[in-house]
Each structure stands twice: as C-alpha cells, then as structure tokens.
Amino acid sequence: MPFIFTGSAQPAGVPAQRMMTFLEAVQTCLEKYFCFNGRASRSEYWWWVLAYGLPQALLYYGIGFLSSLYVGGPSFYLSYNALCIVCGAGLVPGMAVSVRRLHDTGLSGWWLLFLYLPGTLAYVLMLPWLGLIALCPIIYFQGRPSEKKANKYGDIPCTGSSQPDAPEQRRMSFTESVETCLKKSFWFKGRASRSEFWWLALAYAVALFLLTYSALYCSLLYEKEVRNSLLFVLFAVSCIVFFPILAACVRRLHDTGLSGWWMLLLCVPVIFEYVLGTAWAFVVISCLFTYFLSRPSEKRANTYGDVPCLEAPKGAGNRPFDE
C-alpha cells in the first residue's frame, strides 16, 4: 500500500490550525494594509510572498526581454512603470505581514530591522554574496511555526476550518513533504496535496538558486575549475530531483481530478521555448504550472485515491506513515 500521511502534526489540546488559501492570504494582507498588530500564520505570509514576488519576476523578465529587442519603446517604459507600481504597492502590506509573522512566533516586530539590514547593506555596498547570506535569516525566522498558544500579540491565527462539511485535512511540514516525495520518487499513482508539492518545489528552487548564484559568483573570483565543479553539482541535483518532481506533479494533478497526462500539455510551451526560441513561453509556463498545480484538492475520494493528509481518527495513534 502506498505511503499515506494519517497522523496529525497538531498536539493534543491545541486548536486545529488550517492553512490559508492563496486568495484568502492576498485578501487578508490587502485588508490589513497598514495593520502591524496581531499575528499572521506561515501560509498567510508565504502566499503573500508568492503573490508579491511572482509579478515582479515576470515583469523583470519582460523588461529584460524587451530591452534585448529595443530600448526606449513604449512597451519597455510601460513594463518598467508597472514594475515600479507593483513594488511600491506591495511594500507596506509586505512589511505589515512580516511584522505579524514575527509576532506569531513570539518575537517583536522590531526584529524586522535585523532581518533586512544585511539585504540593505548588500544593495548599498553592491555585495552580491551578502545578499545571498541575507536570505538565510529571513527564511529561518519567517518560516518558524506558530506559537501553539495565545501570546501578547493575539490568539492563534487560522484556527478552525473554512469548509465544515469537508474532511479534516492538514498541511504537511517542509521535512514531511521532502521525505515523502523522495520516498515516492517513482510513484505516479495516488494523490498529493498542495503542501506536499509546493514544499518540494520550494526546496528544489532554493537549491538551484543557491548553486547557480554560487557558480556565477565563483566565476568572478576563482578559476573555472571551481565554477565547473558547482555546475556539475547543479546538474547532478537537477537529475536527482527530476523524477521526484515529475511524480509529485502527476500526483498533484490527480489530487485535483485531472489525469497525469495533462503534464504533456503543460510541457508544450517548453518545447516552443527551446525549439523555436520564443522567450514568451517562460511566462506561459509559469502561469500554466501555477494554476494547475495550485488548484485545491477534491474534497472526496476520486478515481486516484482518498483525500491526502487527512487527520487521523481518534484513537488511531500518530504514526507518520501507514503502510
């Protein structure tokens, strides 16, 4: 029988905490535009980071593509102004949700100055390696779990379920997701929740970013042998994670009621990009993958299996895996 999570990560006696959806997180952060009080769960914060960072990345990529064709045209200035608007509009709610996220872990919002000071110095002093180091404390402090009790900043956020008639479904932790996907490297059956897939995608993206960034930085300081060694490691990591990522994508599609063969449709823009050299395919790929792989789980058993990550029934124990 395939590995299926049935245990609950929530201690006994603690209110059940659910994960916000993408739209809930964006709506909450916009409604709390200037709210620096209270607490914010990890899902609220990281969904906002995705909603704030993805448009910036796409616009930045579009500006680079347009600048390679022609500089000074109306499309170039339109994209540049749009990037400035997006960055400016999301700055205040981003700071607010960052402060609330620190509150949720029991820390003062003034810790935000400590977290973003290295990044500010890296930008002012033009030190790219310092910018890479600056990401580590942000990921650590903003990724810490919520305090399992009310603190001086408020009650536990996101308690209860937004769908009372649906089965109780929990969110996988980062380590659970990576462990499960590696164990299911060649398992193309069954279903995978959003948390199982996107935690693995985050781990893969961060590893590739760090290795690529390090290779580029070392190419400026050291001999080519060091850069080539890092590029070899990058290639090896890509090969190792290819099948776990592919299998998780198929199971994620199953979880939304779609066949795994939809992966072929999602890969069509990749073929256009590499065969025809159409750079716009990157934007199409990002939109398609984000939409199809972010759809919510079907709230009932389907032809591919039961609802993933269900809470264990009372008295069933807390086993991490059930074979």
Side-chain angles (χ1 to χ4, degrees):
M1 184 175 179
F3 297 108
I4 300 175
F5 271 94
T6 56
S8 173
Q10 198 75 12
V14 176
Q17 190 176 19
R18 66 178 181 85
M19 182 180 69
M20 273 191 176
T21 64
F22 177 80
L23 294 179
E24 282 179 336
V26 174
Q27 181 181 359
T28 300
C29 291
L30 291 178
E31 289 177 350
K32 297 181 177 180
Y33 202 95
F34 296 100
C35 181
F36 291 84
N37 299 323
R39 300 168 59 173
S41 63
R42 283 186 289 191
S43 56
E44 179 181 344
Y45 174 81
W46 288 108
W47 276 131
W48 172 258
V49 170
L50 177 64
Y52 185 42
L54 185 60
Q56 292 186 62
L58 295 178
L59 287 170
Y60 186 81
Y61 183 87
I63 291 173
F65 175 66
L66 292 174
S67 63
S68 65
L69 299 178
Y70 45 82
V71 180
S75 299
F76 175 82
Y77 287 113
L78 180 62
S79 300
Y80 182 78
N81 291 332
L83 178 61
C84 293
I85 292 173
V86 170
C87 293
L91 180 62
V92 175
M95 293 178 60
V97 72
S98 298
V99 170
R100 297 197 304 272
R101 180 82 267 274
L102 291 172
H103 289 172
D104 189 41
T105 63
L107 297 175
S108 169
W110 292 107
W111 275 75
L112 198 66
L113 299 178
F114 164 74
L115 295 182
Y116 287 96
L117 179 60
T120 304
L121 292 176
Y123 179 79
V124 173
L125 302 178
M126 300 181 65
L127 298 175
W129 58 269
L130 184 58
L132 181 62
I133 296 176
L135 291 175
C136 298
I138 295 175
I139 294 174
Y140 172 74
F141 282 98
Q142 302 290 30
R144 296 171 66 211
S146 304
E147 284 197 327
K148 302 302 181 182
K149 61 183 183 298
N151 59 22
K152 61 181 180 180
Y153 302 106
D155 294 328
I156 304 174
C158 296
T159 53
S161 174
S162 60
Q163 299 186 16
D165 296 331
E168 290 295 330
Q169 190 176 18
R170 68 176 182 88
R171 179 170 64 94
M172 273 192 179
S173 67
F174 176 82
T175 54
E176 284 177 336
S177 169
V178 175
E179 180 184 0
T180 301
C181 291
L182 290 179
K183 287 183 176 180
K184 295 182 177 181
S185 295
F186 300 97
W187 190 267
F188 293 87
K189 298 179 180 179
R191 300 166 61 172
S193 64
R194 283 185 290 192
S195 57
E196 177 181 342
F197 174 80
W198 285 108
W199 275 130
L200 178 66
L202 176 63
Y204 184 43
V206 170
L208 292 185
F209 172 78
L210 294 178
L211 288 172
T212 304
Y213 191 94
S214 300
L216 294 175
Y217 183 68
C218 290
S219 65
L220 300 176
L221 300 179
Y222 306 106
E223 299 294 333
K224 291 184 178 180
E225 287 74 12
V226 178
R227 182 195 63 183
N228 293 337
S229 299
L230 289 173
L231 291 177
F232 175 78
V233 174
L234 175 64
F235 176 75
V237 171
S238 301
C239 293
I240 292 173
V241 186
F242 174 76
F243 282 105
I245 284 282
L246 181 61
C249 287
V250 171
R251 296 197 305 273
R252 181 81 268 275
L253 291 173
H254 290 172
D255 191 40
T256 64
L258 297 177
S259 170
W261 292 106
W262 275 75
M263 280 297 299
L264 297 179
L265 175 63
L266 298 180
C267 291
V268 169
V270 180
I271 300 175
F272 276 98
E273 180 174 7
Y274 284 95
V275 175
L276 303 179
T278 52
W280 55 264
F282 174 80
V283 179
V284 178
I285 295 169
S286 301
C287 295
L288 286 175
F289 270 82
T290 302
Y291 171 73
F292 282 99
L293 298 177
S294 297
R295 298 172 66 217
S297 304
E298 286 196 330
K299 301 302 180 182
R300 62 187 184 282
N302 59 21
T303 56
Y304 304 104
D306 294 328
V307 182
C309 296
L310 289 179
E311 293 284 6
K314 295 182 178 180
N318 289 329
R319 293 176 296 172
F321 293 101
D322 187 15
E323 293 189 67

Short mmCIF file of all heavy atoms in Angstrom, two decimals, residues 22 25 41-51 97 101 138-144 171 199 202:
data_model
loop_
_atom_site.label_atom_id
_atom_site.label_comp_id
_atom_site.label_asym_id
_atom_site.label_seq_id
_atom_site.Cartn_x
_atom_site.Cartn_y
_atom_site.Cartn_z
N PHE A 22 -4.57 30.70 -1.22
CA PHE A 22 -3.87 31.81 -1.86
C PHE A 22 -4.72 33.07 -1.87
O PHE A 22 -4.25 34.16 -1.48
CB PHE A 22 -3.50 31.41 -3.30
CG PHE A 22 -2.84 32.51 -4.08
CD1 PHE A 22 -1.50 32.78 -3.92
CD2 PHE A 22 -3.58 33.27 -4.98
CE1 PHE A 22 -0.89 33.80 -4.65
CE2 PHE A 22 -2.97 34.28 -5.72
CZ PHE A 22 -1.62 34.54 -5.55
N ALA A 25 -5.16 34.59 1.65
CA ALA A 25 -3.96 35.27 2.13
C ALA A 25 -3.82 36.65 1.49
O ALA A 25 -3.55 37.65 2.17
CB ALA A 25 -2.71 34.43 1.85
N SER A 41 -0.17 33.67 10.14
CA SER A 41 0.34 32.31 10.02
C SER A 41 1.36 32.22 8.89
O SER A 41 1.52 33.14 8.09
CB SER A 41 -0.82 31.34 9.74
OG SER A 41 -1.43 31.66 8.49
N ARG A 42 2.05 31.09 8.83
CA ARG A 42 3.03 30.89 7.77
C ARG A 42 2.38 30.91 6.39
O ARG A 42 2.94 31.46 5.44
CB ARG A 42 3.78 29.57 7.98
CG ARG A 42 4.83 29.63 9.06
CD ARG A 42 5.65 28.36 9.14
NE ARG A 42 4.89 27.24 9.67
CZ ARG A 42 5.42 26.09 10.04
NH1 ARG A 42 6.72 25.90 9.92
NH2 ARG A 42 4.68 25.12 10.53
N SER A 43 1.20 30.30 6.28
CA SER A 43 0.53 30.27 4.97
C SER A 43 0.16 31.66 4.52
O SER A 43 0.29 32.00 3.33
CB SER A 43 -0.71 29.38 5.04
OG SER A 43 -1.61 29.81 6.06
N GLU A 44 -0.30 32.52 5.44
CA GLU A 44 -0.65 33.90 5.08
C GLU A 44 0.58 34.64 4.56
O GLU A 44 0.53 35.33 3.53
CB GLU A 44 -1.23 34.64 6.28
CG GLU A 44 -1.59 36.09 5.99
CD GLU A 44 -2.14 36.81 7.19
OE1 GLU A 44 -2.54 36.14 8.17
OE2 GLU A 44 -2.17 38.07 7.19
N TYR A 45 1.70 34.47 5.26
CA TYR A 45 2.91 35.20 4.88
C TYR A 45 3.48 34.70 3.55
O TYR A 45 3.75 35.49 2.64
CB TYR A 45 3.97 35.06 5.97
CG TYR A 45 5.30 35.67 5.59
CD1 TYR A 45 5.53 37.04 5.70
CD2 TYR A 45 6.34 34.86 5.11
CE1 TYR A 45 6.75 37.59 5.34
CE2 TYR A 45 7.56 35.41 4.75
CZ TYR A 45 7.75 36.77 4.86
OH TYR A 45 8.96 37.31 4.49
N TRP A 46 3.64 33.38 3.40
CA TRP A 46 4.34 32.86 2.23
C TRP A 46 3.48 32.91 0.98
O TRP A 46 4.01 33.05 -0.15
CB TRP A 46 4.84 31.44 2.50
CG TRP A 46 6.00 31.43 3.45
CD1 TRP A 46 6.00 31.00 4.75
CD2 TRP A 46 7.32 31.91 3.19
NE1 TRP A 46 7.23 31.17 5.32
CE2 TRP A 46 8.07 31.74 4.39
CE3 TRP A 46 7.95 32.47 2.08
CZ2 TRP A 46 9.41 32.09 4.48
CZ3 TRP A 46 9.28 32.83 2.18
CH2 TRP A 46 10.00 32.64 3.36
N TRP A 47 2.15 32.82 1.12
CA TRP A 47 1.29 33.04 -0.05
C TRP A 47 1.43 34.49 -0.53
O TRP A 47 1.42 34.77 -1.73
CB TRP A 47 -0.17 32.73 0.28
CG TRP A 47 -0.60 31.30 0.17
CD1 TRP A 47 -1.29 30.58 1.10
CD2 TRP A 47 -0.39 30.40 -0.93
NE1 TRP A 47 -1.52 29.31 0.67
CE2 TRP A 47 -0.99 29.17 -0.59
CE3 TRP A 47 0.23 30.52 -2.17
CZ2 TRP A 47 -0.96 28.07 -1.44
CZ3 TRP A 47 0.27 29.42 -3.02
CH2 TRP A 47 -0.33 28.21 -2.65
N TRP A 48 1.55 35.42 0.44
CA TRP A 48 1.73 36.82 0.04
C TRP A 48 3.08 37.02 -0.65
O TRP A 48 3.17 37.77 -1.63
CB TRP A 48 1.63 37.74 1.26
CG TRP A 48 2.02 39.16 0.92
CD1 TRP A 48 3.19 39.78 1.18
CD2 TRP A 48 1.22 40.11 0.20
NE1 TRP A 48 3.19 41.06 0.68
CE2 TRP A 48 1.99 41.29 0.07
CE3 TRP A 48 -0.06 40.07 -0.34
CZ2 TRP A 48 1.52 42.41 -0.58
CZ3 TRP A 48 -0.54 41.20 -1.00
CH2 TRP A 48 0.24 42.35 -1.12
N VAL A 49 4.12 36.37 -0.15
CA VAL A 49 5.43 36.46 -0.80
C VAL A 49 5.34 35.98 -2.25
O VAL A 49 5.91 36.59 -3.16
CB VAL A 49 6.47 35.64 -0.01
CG1 VAL A 49 7.77 35.51 -0.80
CG2 VAL A 49 6.74 36.29 1.34
N LEU A 50 4.61 34.88 -2.47
CA LEU A 50 4.43 34.38 -3.84
C LEU A 50 3.65 35.38 -4.69
O LEU A 50 4.04 35.67 -5.83
CB LEU A 50 3.71 33.03 -3.81
CG LEU A 50 3.38 32.42 -5.17
CD1 LEU A 50 4.66 32.08 -5.93
CD2 LEU A 50 2.52 31.17 -5.01
N ALA A 51 2.55 35.92 -4.13
CA ALA A 51 1.73 36.87 -4.89
C ALA A 51 2.48 38.16 -5.18
O ALA A 51 2.25 38.80 -6.20
CB ALA A 51 0.44 37.17 -4.11
N VAL A 97 2.69 42.28 7.03
CA VAL A 97 2.54 40.84 7.24
C VAL A 97 3.84 40.25 7.77
O VAL A 97 3.81 39.25 8.52
CB VAL A 97 2.09 40.14 5.93
CG1 VAL A 97 3.22 40.09 4.91
CG2 VAL A 97 1.58 38.74 6.21
N ARG A 101 3.95 38.16 11.15
CA ARG A 101 4.54 36.82 11.15
C ARG A 101 5.54 36.66 12.28
O ARG A 101 5.60 35.60 12.94
CB ARG A 101 5.24 36.59 9.79
CG ARG A 101 5.92 35.21 9.64
CD ARG A 101 4.92 34.15 9.26
NE ARG A 101 4.39 33.47 10.42
CZ ARG A 101 4.95 32.42 11.01
NH1 ARG A 101 6.07 31.94 10.54
NH2 ARG A 101 4.39 31.85 12.04
N ILE A 138 15.99 35.49 6.96
CA ILE A 138 14.59 35.76 6.61
C ILE A 138 13.82 34.46 6.49
O ILE A 138 12.72 34.30 7.04
CB ILE A 138 14.52 36.57 5.30
CG1 ILE A 138 15.12 37.96 5.50
CG2 ILE A 138 13.07 36.69 4.82
CD1 ILE A 138 15.19 38.78 4.23
N ILE A 139 14.40 33.48 5.77
CA ILE A 139 13.74 32.19 5.59
C ILE A 139 13.57 31.48 6.94
O ILE A 139 12.53 30.88 7.22
CB ILE A 139 14.53 31.32 4.61
CG1 ILE A 139 14.50 31.94 3.20
CG2 ILE A 139 13.96 29.90 4.56
CD1 ILE A 139 15.37 31.21 2.21
N TYR A 140 14.59 31.58 7.79
CA TYR A 140 14.52 30.88 9.08
C TYR A 140 13.47 31.51 9.99
O TYR A 140 12.58 30.81 10.50
CB TYR A 140 15.89 30.91 9.77
CG TYR A 140 15.84 30.39 11.18
CD1 TYR A 140 15.71 29.04 11.45
CD2 TYR A 140 15.89 31.27 12.27
CE1 TYR A 140 15.64 28.56 12.75
CE2 TYR A 140 15.82 30.81 13.57
CZ TYR A 140 15.70 29.45 13.80
OH TYR A 140 15.61 28.98 15.10
N PHE A 141 13.55 32.82 10.23
CA PHE A 141 12.66 33.45 11.19
C PHE A 141 11.22 33.51 10.69
O PHE A 141 10.28 33.38 11.47
CB PHE A 141 13.17 34.86 11.53
CG PHE A 141 14.32 34.87 12.49
CD1 PHE A 141 15.62 34.98 12.03
CD2 PHE A 141 14.11 34.76 13.85
CE1 PHE A 141 16.68 34.99 12.91
CE2 PHE A 141 15.16 34.77 14.74
CZ PHE A 141 16.46 34.87 14.27
N GLN A 142 11.03 33.75 9.39
CA GLN A 142 9.66 33.82 8.87
C GLN A 142 9.08 32.45 8.57
O GLN A 142 7.90 32.33 8.26
CB GLN A 142 9.63 34.67 7.58
CG GLN A 142 10.14 36.10 7.76
CD GLN A 142 9.20 36.97 8.58
OE1 GLN A 142 8.50 36.47 9.46
NE2 GLN A 142 9.19 38.26 8.31
N GLY A 143 9.90 31.41 8.66
CA GLY A 143 9.41 30.06 8.44
C GLY A 143 9.20 29.27 9.72
O GLY A 143 8.81 28.11 9.66
N ARG A 144 9.42 29.90 10.88
CA ARG A 144 9.21 29.21 12.16
C ARG A 144 7.73 28.97 12.39
O ARG A 144 6.88 29.76 11.97
CB ARG A 144 9.81 30.03 13.30
CG ARG A 144 11.32 30.19 13.23
CD ARG A 144 11.81 31.19 14.26
NE ARG A 144 11.60 30.70 15.62
CZ ARG A 144 11.37 31.47 16.66
NH1 ARG A 144 11.24 32.78 16.50
NH2 ARG A 144 11.22 30.95 17.87
N ARG A 171 -1.91 20.38 6.72
CA ARG A 171 -0.83 20.76 5.83
C ARG A 171 0.44 20.03 6.24
O ARG A 171 0.81 19.98 7.40
CB ARG A 171 -0.61 22.27 5.90
CG ARG A 171 0.52 22.78 5.02
CD ARG A 171 0.48 24.29 4.97
NE ARG A 171 0.72 24.88 6.28
CZ ARG A 171 1.91 25.27 6.71
NH1 ARG A 171 2.97 25.14 5.95
NH2 ARG A 171 2.05 25.81 7.91
N TRP A 199 6.08 22.49 -1.11
CA TRP A 199 7.26 22.47 -0.26
C TRP A 199 8.44 21.87 -1.01
O TRP A 199 9.58 22.35 -0.91
CB TRP A 199 6.99 21.67 1.01
CG TRP A 199 6.34 22.41 2.14
CD1 TRP A 199 5.24 22.01 2.86
CD2 TRP A 199 6.73 23.67 2.72
NE1 TRP A 199 4.93 22.93 3.83
CE2 TRP A 199 5.84 23.96 3.76
CE3 TRP A 199 7.76 24.57 2.44
CZ2 TRP A 199 5.92 25.11 4.55
CZ3 TRP A 199 7.85 25.73 3.21
CH2 TRP A 199 6.94 25.99 4.24
N LEU A 202 9.66 24.40 -3.51
CA LEU A 202 10.45 25.43 -2.84
C LEU A 202 11.86 24.94 -2.55
O LEU A 202 12.85 25.65 -2.81
CB LEU A 202 9.76 25.86 -1.55
CG LEU A 202 10.53 26.87 -0.68
CD1 LEU A 202 10.70 28.19 -1.42
CD2 LEU A 202 9.81 27.09 0.64
#
